[in-house]
Amino acid sequence: MNVALIPVRGGSKSVPLKNIKEILGQPLVYWTVKAASECRCIDKVYVSTDSEKIRDVVNNFKEKELDLFGKVEVIGRSKESASDTASTEFAMLEFAAGHDFENIVLIQATSPLLTSDDLEGGFQLLKSPNTDSVLSCVRQYRFLWEENDEGEVYPWNYDLGHRPRRQEFPGYLMENGAFYITSRERLLKEKKRISGKIKAYEMNEDTAFEIDEPRDWVIVESLMKRYKVKKNGNETAVKMFLTDCDGCLTDGGMYYSEKGDELKKFHTRDGMGFALLKERGILTGIITGEKSDIVKRRARKLQIDEVHQGVKNKLETIERLAAKYHVSLEEIAYVGDDVNDREALEKVGFSCTVNNASEEMKEKVNYVSKRNGGEGAVREIIDRILTQKYEESE
């Protein structure tokens, strides 16, 4: 049995009752409870608190969304474990003494950028050979310096005579405090949140920020707002944009030259749309069931990050890309126009299709473009992502 423990106390000094202060319309603790609840690897989610106000807030949003938060339980914690001087390990050991489980993931409520996909990735890593514990990290690419007793400084992680370019620099891992996974047996024996052979699960660079001070709040809320889309009234960040080719980037027509060469019609505005996405740091990709050198050349010209042709199972490919880049399905926008796109459109955070798509697809997606495929429909969708205009199709 895998359990999640989210310890939240009412005595925060820097931001009073910060764990229930609203961020993007929900209490701060809501976002990590949501991530844990959506994680298929977690059987039970415990929110441990010494505050009746926090208990009421968590129980309130649990009752409103019982289908989502059904495995959540709010439990008490001693005054000693919630004091300013008590360690988080104190709270974990107190919890472990009264509950039976195999593995525990400690989740910090101050990391609202955490996703269920991150947690599932952490548990998958725990199953790998020679692994006793897992912690979440982000990879940083900064040059670090140290100071000696005389006040002189010297580089800590690179050779001053051979300053590496970013693409050649492996960087370093920094603990982001989002989650820690270990077994009950190890926790009770070692009295540490992680121990033994430890591995790191890399999360998105944005998750380097935790909410500890008021200034952190502004930064994290800004990150959460960036590139938002609406799906059934909930906001989701877009970090990857993927599209089918034929019928979306093209008009779906089959053109041949007199010599029998296959031709495809692309729209120049769609190409500019991909350039705008790259400027904003959004990953791009084409996933198509067809195989064509024309598509390969077009993708190369547009510097698209991922091109996958001859794909039978598009959702499977999307899931692999999500794991590769450490983004969740909720953070992916996908454009498809026919039945072979159905499964992928049902799973991504922002699903789109074009005006001349099949009626079945139009009924399943969040947004239908006003333009036809091959006539700038993809650029229209990209513009909506970049300008945060996500009103759903009527």
Side-chain angles (χ1 to χ4, degrees):
M1 180 180 181
N2 297 327
V3 302
L5 176 65
I6 307 176
V8 285
R9 63 192 188 93
S12 173
K13 302 298 183 185
S14 56
V15 182
L17 286 173
K18 70 178 176 183
N19 291 306
I20 55 174
K21 180 181 176 182
E22 285 200 355
I23 184 167
L24 288 193
Q26 295 288 357
L28 175 61
V29 69
Y30 172 93
W31 300 105
T32 47
V33 174
K34 180 176 182 290
S37 298
E38 291 175 336
C39 178
R40 292 167 294 184
C41 298
I42 296 174
D43 302 296
K44 187 77 176 179
V45 180
Y46 292 95
V47 179
S48 170
T49 185
D50 62 323
S51 166
E52 286 301 318
K53 285 186 178 180
I54 294 176
R55 178 187 292 270
D56 290 344
V57 166
V58 175
N59 282 329
N60 184 51
F61 66 67
K62 174 185 174 180
E63 289 173 10
K64 288 181 178 178
E65 300 179 71
L66 195 56
D67 288 345
L68 173 59
F69 297 116
K71 57 185 177 183
V72 175
E73 181 179 345
V74 186
I75 60 174
R77 58 190 290 188
S78 67
K79 291 183 178 179
E80 292 77 14
S81 73
S83 69
D84 292 337
T85 57
S87 67
T88 302
E89 279 78 4
F90 190 118
M92 293 179 72
L93 290 166
E94 183 180 74
F95 170 79
H99 295 82
D100 188 29
F101 54 88
E102 182 181 0
N103 298 306
I104 181 172
V105 53
L106 168 69
I107 298 175
Q108 308 276 44
T110 50
S111 299
L113 293 165
L114 176 70
T115 70
S116 60
D117 284 354
D118 291 323
L119 293 169
E120 288 178 10
F123 274 103
Q124 289 303 315
L125 187 57
L126 186 69
K127 293 178 182 178
S128 63
N130 301 313
T131 308
D132 297 314
S133 302
V134 173
L135 80 160
S136 60
C137 292
V138 294
R139 189 169 293 275
Q140 298 282 317
Y141 296 91
R142 300 187 182 272
F143 298 128
L144 303 179
W145 290 67
E146 288 193 37
E147 185 178 24
N148 61 23
D149 294 338
E150 286 72 42
E152 296 179 50
V153 296
Y154 56 93
W156 179 77
N157 64 340
Y158 78 101
D159 182 353
L160 192 60
H162 298 87
R163 186 184 180 95
R165 295 180 299 172
R166 181 183 172 92
Q167 59 266 37
E168 299 168 343
F169 186 46
Y172 59 92
L173 292 174
M174 183 189 81
E175 202 174 317
N176 69 348
F179 70 84
Y180 307 82
I181 309 175
T182 195
S183 66
R184 182 176 188 271
E185 180 182 1
R186 280 202 158 274
L187 173 62
L188 293 174
K189 179 182 178 181
E190 303 293 339
K191 307 291 190 291
K192 300 173 185 176
R193 67 183 71 183
I194 47 176
S195 60
K197 296 175 181 177
I198 303 168
K199 290 186 180 177
Y201 176 82
E202 289 187 44
M203 289 176 59
N204 186 282
E205 280 186 90
D206 289 346
T207 64
F209 295 96
E210 295 180 82
I211 295 181
D212 290 317
E213 303 293 336
R215 63 177 178 273
D216 301 328
W217 199 280
V218 176
I219 295 170
V220 173
E221 188 168 39
S222 176
L223 288 170
M224 293 177 74
K225 285 179 179 178
R226 193 171 63 178
Y227 314 132
K228 294 293 179 180
V229 302
K230 288 186 178 178
K231 181 179 181 183
N232 300 325
N234 296 319
E235 290 191 330
T236 304
V238 171
K239 295 182 179 178
M240 181 181 291
F241 178 86
L242 305 172
T243 181
D244 183 20
C245 184
D246 291 329
C248 296
L249 288 171
T250 75
D251 60 4
M254 304 294 288
Y255 303 99
Y256 296 92
S257 70
E258 291 182 356
K259 295 182 180 180
D261 297 323
E262 181 185 357
L263 305 174
K264 291 182 184 291
K265 174 191 171 186
F266 293 93
H267 201 289
T268 184
R269 290 200 185 107
D270 291 341
M272 180 55 70
F274 279 103
L276 294 172
L277 287 172
K278 290 186 72 66
E279 285 179 6
R280 302 291 185 90
I282 297 177
L283 296 161
T284 57
I286 295 174
I287 302 175
T288 175
E290 302 296 322
K291 288 186 177 181
S292 170
D293 285 338
I294 299 173
V295 175
K296 188 186 298 184
R297 292 199 300 270
R298 179 65 173 163
R300 188 184 302 121
K301 180 177 181 180
L302 299 180
Q303 298 182 325
I304 291 173
D305 298 299
E306 295 282 344
V307 182
H308 297 266
Q309 299 195 72
V311 176
K312 301 300 182 185
N313 188 328
K314 294 188 177 183
L315 176 59
E316 187 177 277
T317 300
I318 291 172
E319 288 176 333
R320 286 201 303 269
L321 291 176
K324 177 180 178 179
Y325 291 101
H326 302 297
V327 300
S328 69
L329 292 179
E330 287 290 306
E331 295 169 319
I332 295 175
Y334 180 68
V335 187
D337 71 318
D338 217 330
V339 291
N340 60 336
D341 298 301
R342 182 197 299 116
E343 193 176 15
L345 290 168
E346 289 175 346
K347 295 293 185 180
V348 298
F350 188 47
S351 58
C352 312
T353 194
V354 295
N355 183 59
N356 56 332
S358 67
E359 291 303 316
E360 181 184 353
M361 291 303 101
K362 290 182 180 181
E363 293 174 0
K364 291 184 176 296
V365 300
N366 300 122
Y367 181 75
V368 179
S369 69
K370 293 180 174 60
R371 295 185 177 90
N372 290 340
E375 298 179 2
V378 170
R379 172 62 183 276
E380 177 187 326
I381 293 166
I382 290 172
D383 284 345
R384 286 184 173 270
I385 291 172
L386 298 180
T387 58
Q388 300 183 23
K389 294 179 180 178
Y390 297 98
E391 56 269 30
E392 296 183 7
S393 302
E394 297 179 358

